[in-house]
Amino acid sequence: MTTRIGVVTFPGSLDDSDARRAIRIAGGEPVALWHRDKDLRKQQVDAVVLPGGFSYGDYLRCGAIARFSPIMETVVEQAKAGMPVLGICNGFQVLCETHLLPGALTRNDHLHFLCRDQRLRVENDTTVWTSDYERGQEIVVPLKNGEGGYVADERTLDELEGEGRVVFRYLDGNPNGSRRDIAGITNEAGNVVGLMPHPEHAVEALTGPTTDGLGFFTSALKKLVAS
């Protein structure tokens, strides 16, 4: 039976089709989820991806309105029960707004939208979404954001560091002012991961700078099959 991974489309999502394509290339079955779909059980998905874009035009704060979309009530409930959830860029912002992940994403410190191929270091290879990588491995995936600066209070940052919950860190300079060069984090259980860079844009040699992003999706598929 093919593993089904849902990809939520909010008004303003841009990278939902890319995420579905990445899942298909990895060997899974992508399932399109509309933000008003509340019943994930009916869709029979094994995991969920919250894609990049500008949900609700980034009004109020990035992800602040999407956090109240009907589907998010069920996503939060299922994530707390162990379902794998990946938030990419705007999806990371939504995860922080729902408090599935701590902290927040703020305006880039240089106040400009940034788009570039970004080198990252894998800091945690034990999450559902990173088990196909090795700790210390360096990967390159695209980065594109205007509000990508990860911030949290010192106590939270110390907890993330001490518990090994920093999943990715920026290399070759900090692109957006994120505290401690943090590019992605996970929850305590390791089933929820959020990051600003876009692994779904690095799954094919023809279109991506690398295929380094494919490991996110193959990691989740292997974990789900094993469980």
Side-chain angles (χ1 to χ4, degrees):
M1 183 176 179
T2 305
T3 302
R4 292 165 57 87
I5 299 182
V7 179
V8 179
T9 299
F10 300 99
S13 292
L14 297 178
D15 301 308
D16 44 349
S17 60
D18 298 75
R20 291 196 300 270
R21 180 172 177 79
I23 291 164
R24 188 178 297 109
I25 291 172
E29 180 182 348
V31 179
L33 301 175
W34 183 233
H35 72 113
R36 292 189 181 276
D37 296 336
K38 191 172 181 178
D39 190 356
L40 286 180
R41 296 179 184 87
K42 183 178 179 180
Q43 300 289 347
Q44 297 182 322
V45 296
D46 304 294
V48 166
V49 175
L50 305 179
F54 303 90
S55 60
Y56 294 93
D58 283 348
Y59 293 120
L60 300 183
R61 293 185 309 276
C62 300
I65 301 178
R67 175 259 182 275
F68 293 102
S69 288
I71 199 169
M72 288 310 301
E73 180 181 340
T74 310
V75 169
V76 170
E77 175 187 308
Q78 293 297 309
K80 289 180 178 179
M83 184 181 71
V85 177
L86 176 66
I88 303 169
C89 196
N90 188 236
F92 185 13
Q93 295 161 344
V94 174
L95 289 177
C96 289
E97 289 290 335
T98 60
H99 305 297
L100 282 173
L101 294 176
L105 283 305
T106 62
R107 186 72 178 163
N108 293 349
D109 59 353
H110 45 75
L111 303 181
H112 295 285
F113 184 89
L114 178 69
C115 182
R116 75 182 197 188
D117 294 334
Q118 179 65 50
R119 197 158 66 96
L120 306 172
R121 182 171 62 241
V122 179
E123 302 282 18
N124 183 334
D125 61 356
T126 65
T127 79
V128 171
W129 299 94
T130 59
S131 60
D132 263 3
Y133 298 104
E134 295 182 2
R135 184 178 180 183
Q137 182 178 347
E138 296 181 5
I139 65 174
V140 176
V141 298
L143 173 73
K144 50 176 187 174
N145 62 70
E147 292 83 17
Y150 179 75
V151 297
D153 61 82
E154 289 299 322
R155 179 178 178 180
T156 299
L157 292 170
D158 288 342
E159 287 180 354
L160 290 172
E161 299 276 14
E163 296 172 4
R165 291 170 54 195
V166 175
V167 181
F168 294 96
R169 217 179 294 268
Y170 293 116
L171 299 176
D172 297 335
N174 190 318
N176 46 35
S178 291
R179 298 295 306 277
R180 305 192 189 183
D181 299 331
I182 291 173
I185 60 174
T186 185
N187 65 342
E188 292 181 10
N191 62 302
V192 179
V193 169
L195 77 162
M196 287 308 297
H198 287 262
E200 79 281 16
H201 295 328
V203 296
E204 293 180 287
L206 178 64
T207 58
T210 65
T211 58
D212 291 346
L214 193 58
F216 282 81
F217 307 98
T218 56
S219 294
L221 290 171
K222 289 178 181 178
K223 285 285 187 179
L224 289 167
V225 169
S227 62

